[in-house]
Amino acid sequence: MKSDGAPVTAALRWQVFPDRGALAAHAAELILASAREAIAAHGQFRLVLAGGRTPLAVYARLASAHAEWPHWHWYFGDERCLPAGDAGRNDSAIRHAWLDHIAVPPANIHAIPAELGAQAAARQYAALLAGLGEFDLVLLGLGEDGHTASLFPGRPLVAGADVLAVHAAPKPPSERVTMSAARLSRARQVLFLVTGADKRAAVTAWRAGADIPARAIGGNVQVLLDAEAAAEEPSITGSR
Ligand code: 6PG
């Protein structure tokens, strides 16, 4: 742990794909492989889901995949404080793209009760995560300002907390719940999914060492980008 409470990044690998489709195909394969490994190792696959639009293409591919779904457990990196079932929630979008299309034991989907309001939902979700140990795979997106999950620039990292209530968020809706940087970093693997020209500035800032929330995610981190998002970073090797 760094002095500011940010986790240490053990490995940070960048990989560029020609387009969103190629990235989504690779990410889906990576997730399925990580699941097979985890289930073989400890009988379960604990996956943290990213919100926003970018991962939806990956989730849609997983909707037609074959896997040992009863051994999967789905957690959410963050949620928007909207009524249960609201189309604007991350869990609603993910159910629509993926989980509604596969045979999932309902108890294996660990939604954030964001309908309760940020404070109460954060408390409840922290209690759910207590004693859980590390995740197998954490999926994250990247915002134009360098935010990830609902960890926004200029906000304290709050060392020691697993789940945070977020108020006055710069991205609507303003009330949100998010796992902390430290909790998101407690994972065998972290995978960022980044596509589109609107993410170029955040990618450049990240690589330049700017103090953006995405950089506070530690551990074994892999960043998958499409050529659009990486266009201003020709030094990123490993283009595919
Ligand atoms: C949210 C997300 C957020 C998202 C980024 C990128 O609830 O909005 O958790 O962190 O991942 O804002 O969003 P896009 O993928 O839609 O660009």
Side-chain angles (χ1 to χ4, degrees), residues 24 42 71 122 128 137 145 148 155 178-180 187 203-204 230 236 238:
H42 49 248
H71 296 274
L128 182 142
L137 181 60
D145 59 359
T148 192
R155 306 284 175 111
T178 187
M179 288 191 198
S180 64
V203 169
T204 297
I236 301 180

Side-chain angles (χ1 to χ4, degrees), residues 75-224:
Y75 301 87
F76 294 80
D78 70 328
E79 189 55 275
R80 303 147 178 206
C81 293
L82 298 167
D86 187 289
R89 286 175 60 134
N90 287 328
D91 61 0
S92 302
I94 296 168
R95 287 174 194 272
H96 183 70
W98 178 14
L99 304 179
D100 287 349
H101 307 280
I102 59 173
V104 181
N108 289 23
I109 302 175
H110 307 282
I112 297 177
E115 64 277 9
L116 301 177
Q119 294 291 345
R123 266 196 308 278
Q124 273 206 23
Y125 212 57
L128 182 142
L129 297 182
L132 198 70
E134 71 169 7
F135 297 113
D136 293 296
L137 181 60
V138 168
L139 304 178
L140 288 168
L142 180 70
E144 296 168 23
D145 59 359
H147 77 259
T148 192
S150 286
L151 300 166
F152 292 97
R155 306 284 175 111
L157 284 172
V158 192
D162 281 350
V163 186
L164 308 172
V166 179
H167 306 290
K171 179 180 178 180
S174 60
E175 294 291 300
R176 293 162 167 260
V177 179
T178 187
M179 288 191 198
S180 64
R183 196 60 182 94
L184 289 164
S185 303
R186 278 181 61 198
R188 265 187 325 115
Q189 236 180 323
V190 175
L191 189 63
F192 280 87
L193 307 169
V194 184
T195 62
D198 56 347
K199 303 298 169 66
R200 286 178 188 166
V203 169
T204 297
W206 189 349
R207 290 175 60 80
D211 184 17
I212 58 167
R215 275 192 66 240
I217 305 298
N220 175 13
V221 178
Q222 202 174 346
V223 185
L224 305 186

